[in-house]
Amino acid sequence: QSALTQPASVSGSPGQSITISCSGTSSDVGSYNLVSWYQQYPGKAPQVMIYEGSQRPSGVSHRFSGSKSGNTASLTISGLQAEDEADYFCCSYAGNNIVVFGGGTKVTVL
Amino acid sequence: QVQLQESGPGLVKPSQTLSLTCTVSGGSIRSGGYYWAWIRQHPGKGLEWVGYIYFTGSAYYNPSLKSRVSISVDTSKNHFSLNLSSVTAADTAVYYCARYIDADWFFDLWGRGTLVTVSS
């Protein structure tokens, strides 16, 4: 089971919108609407931002949204803020009780 | 609230077995609907799912590690454990324990992580 593919880095200016892609296969992202997204600050544990493709847990800003098209999931951050500068990881259920993560994307707020 | 805490040696010699424990506090590991997971992160790299276990003892592993990994649960002590055998420097990583919600398919709770270095 290969890792999901994410861009190494994405950047944007405050107030702008950015989108992070997460490319998988028909065996994981394409087969299940079970992609979750995690935000991680340096030296800290990840925390969930989106689950089941587009659901936001309680307490997560509405500026974070998720979507999927085919074998690719996406996380969009609108109204980019300095506090959004962090690493972001996607994760998908891949069947047979297997979970796969993406390589991570570093978001920089210019 | 429920909290997770990893514990175990921070240094393991090559070819030996890495052993870590995750203690669950503030709630019961026997609560249905959750898998108890291990996830690792190599220095400066992405996350890698190692495996997870249900409180009944049913465990599932990353195929790339399956031959070396074992996860067990001790409901009487409210903790679960990871054993990774025949370690090499490539197993040096921060190891996180986490809780995976079965119905919603995501990791909702994480430990702080513990760095394990494989070196002689």
Side-chain angles (χ1 to χ4, degrees):
Chain A
Q1 194 67 38
S2 300
L4 305 175
T5 301
Q6 298 181 234
S9 63
V10 172
S11 62
S13 299
Q16 287 186 331
S17 292
I18 62 168
T19 297
I20 303 168
S21 61
C22 171
S23 180
T25 69
S26 58
S27 297
D28 39 59
V29 176
S31 285
Y32 307 94
N33 198 25
L34 297 175
V35 173
S36 50
W37 289 89
Y38 301 85
Q39 176 190 65
Q40 185 182 36
Y41 293 115
K44 300 295 187 182
Q47 63 176 38
V48 65
M49 306 305 283
I50 294 288
Y51 68 98
E52 288 184 351
S54 61
Q55 303 302 305
R56 259 188 318 273
S58 174
V60 172
S61 170
H62 284 71
R63 299 185 298 104
F64 291 85
S65 62
S67 63
K68 191 188 88 166
S69 177
N71 296 338
T72 300
S74 298
L75 174 72
T76 297
I77 309 175
S78 58
L80 198 62
Q81 299 180 0
E83 67 200 46
D84 301 329
E85 188 162 292
D87 294 325
Y88 293 83
F89 298 90
C90 61
C91 175
S92 178
Y93 181 70
N96 297 315
N97 277 293
I98 292 172
V99 171
V100 62
F101 280 97
T105 298
K106 180 177 180 59
V107 168
T108 301
V109 181
L110 302 172
Chain B
Q1 70 277 24
V2 180
Q3 293 184 316
L4 307 179
Q5 178 65 60
E6 305 89 350
S7 59
L11 181 65
V12 180
K13 287 181 166 47
S15 79
Q16 293 190 341
T17 295
L18 178 161
S19 295
L20 295 174
T21 294
C22 181
T23 300
V24 180
S25 60
S28 174
I29 203 169
R30 295 180 59 88
S31 299
Y34 302 113
Y35 283 89
W36 303 94
W38 289 98
I39 296 158
R40 70 181 185 177
Q41 185 170 32
H42 296 101
K45 301 295 184 182
L47 300 169
E48 181 180 29
W49 174 72
V50 175
Y52 52 37
I53 191 167
Y54 203 61
F55 77 91
T56 56
S58 297
Y60 305 91
Y61 305 118
N62 186 322
S64 68
L65 299 171
K66 193 171 185 177
S67 63
R68 299 193 294 127
V69 68
S70 175
I71 298 175
S72 59
V73 62
D74 188 333
T75 55
S76 67
K77 295 182 179 178
N78 221 37
H79 73 209
F80 61 105
S81 300
L82 168 70
N83 280 339
L84 182 65
S85 63
S86 306
V87 297
T88 69
D91 295 307
T92 293
V94 173
Y95 286 77
Y96 293 99
C97 60
R99 187 176 73 176
Y100 189 68
I101 300 181
D102 187 10
D104 295 319
W105 309 91
F106 71 96
F107 298 97
D108 73 320
L109 197 60
W110 297 67
R112 298 178 66 177
T114 187
L115 174 63
V116 179
T117 300
V118 179
S119 175
S120 55

